[in-house]
Amino acid sequence: MIFTFSLVFLLSVAALFLYKPLHKYKYVFYLIALVIALALHEGGNYITYGYTGLSFFIVVMYSGVLDKGTLRKRLFQVRAEYAVIGSIFIFPHMLGYIEFLLEEIPLSEITLNYIFGLLTIFVIVPLFITSFQFIRRKMGYKRWKKLHQYAYLFYVLVGLHLITINNERQLFYIIIFASYGLLKISMLGKIYYTKSKVKRLELDK
Amino acid sequence: MKNKLIVLLFISLLLGSFKTETIEDSIDGFAGASNSTFEPQILDSVSGASSEYDDEDEEDEEDDRYDD
C-alpha cells in the first residue's frame, strides 16, 4: 500500500500545481499511460496487480467529497483525465485476470472477489468510453450525467472486490471505502437538508 | 475541516502501510518480483498449485518407499 498511497499524494499534488498542462495535453498523457500499460501488461507489477489504477480512482473518488476550495477545484479540473488514465492502467489487470480465470480456475471454484471484479468490468467499460469529451458532447449532458451516476456502483464493486480478497491489506481497503461512504452519505444528507430548508422558506413566503 | 481530515486519513494510511510492508517489497513491486508483500500465494492456492513441497519430491519419496 506504500505505492498506492504515495501515488495518491503525488497525483493530488500534480493536480494542484499542474492542472493546466494535465488538462490541455490530456491526449498526450493518455498515450503515455497506454504505452506504459502495454509495456508492463505481463507479469506481476503495480499495473497488473491493479494498484496504479486504484490510486487514480481513489483520487477521483475522494475529490467528490472534498469541501469547496482550491484542492477540490483543481482536482475537478483533472478528474475526467484521471478517471481515463486510471481505466487505462486497470485494463491490463482486468484482462490478465480474465485470462487467468478462463485458463486456470474451474467455474465452481470462482470466489466472490473474482465475481465482484468481473461485475466491475461491465460498469467501467461504458464509463470509460463516455469519459472522452467528444463522446460526452454527442451524448448530451443529461444522458451523460445519468450514466455516470453508475460511477458510485463502480466504487462499491471495487471496494467489495478488494475487501473480499481477504488479504493483509483488507483493513486498509475497509478504511478507504467505509470512510468514503460515510463522507458521501453525510454530504448528501447536508444537500438534502439545505434543499428542504429552502423549500420550506419558499412555502412560508 | 473535512479536507484536513481526509489528508490526515491518507497520511495515517501511508504511515500504516510503512508499518505493514517493507520498503524493499515496494521497490521490488516495480520489477515484478515476488516477496512477502506481493506473493502469488493467493493465485497458487486457487489454482491448486503445491506450495509446501514439489510434486516431484513427493513422487521420489514414494519411489524410495517401494525400493525398500
Side-chain angles (χ1 to χ4, degrees), chain A residues 150-161:
Chain A
Y150 284 97
Y152 298 111
L153 176 65
F154 172 73
Y155 301 150
V156 171
L157 288 171
V158 170
L160 290 170
H161 165 63

Side-chain angles (χ1 to χ4, degrees), chain A residues 72-193:
Chain A
R72 183 187 160 96
K73 205 176 160 187
R74 300 280 188 262
L75 280 169
F76 262 66
Q77 275 164 313
V78 293
R79 211 180 176 204
E81 287 79 5
Y82 276 4
V84 171
I85 297 170
S87 305
I88 292 170
F89 282 130
I90 214 77
F91 283 132
H93 170 70
M94 288 176 166
L95 295 172
Y97 274 86
I98 288 174
E99 193 185 343
F100 172 74
L101 278 173
L102 292 173
E103 286 177 0
E104 306 282 340
I105 305 178
L107 207 65
S108 58
E109 282 176 32
I110 290 179
T111 48
L112 211 56
N113 64 305
Y114 287 118
I115 295 169
F116 286 127
L118 285 169
L119 289 172
T120 309
I121 300 170
F122 292 109
V123 186
I124 197 178
V125 170
L127 291 179
F128 170 72
I129 295 166
T130 54
S131 283
F132 294 95
Q133 222 162 24
F134 59 95
I135 295 176
R136 185 176 161 174
R137 272 191 212 124
K138 271 189 181 176
M139 276 182 82
Y141 182 72
K142 267 192 177 176
R143 263 180 76 197
W144 181 88
K145 181 89 181 165
K146 212 175 174 183
L147 178 72
H148 277 253
Q149 296 283 331
Y150 284 97
Y152 298 111
L153 176 65
F154 172 73
Y155 301 150
V156 171
L157 288 171
V158 170
L160 290 170
H161 165 63
L162 292 168
I163 291 163
T164 51
I165 293 172
N166 200 12
N167 58 12
E168 69 269 28
R169 291 179 282 278
Q170 192 184 46
L171 184 65
F172 287 103
Y173 298 138
I174 292 172
I175 294 170
I176 295 167
F177 288 94
S179 305
Y180 172 76
L182 288 172
L183 288 165
K184 192 74 199 175
I185 289 166
S186 79
M187 197 179 165
L188 291 173
K190 252 186 198 173
I191 293 168
Y192 178 77
Y193 176 75

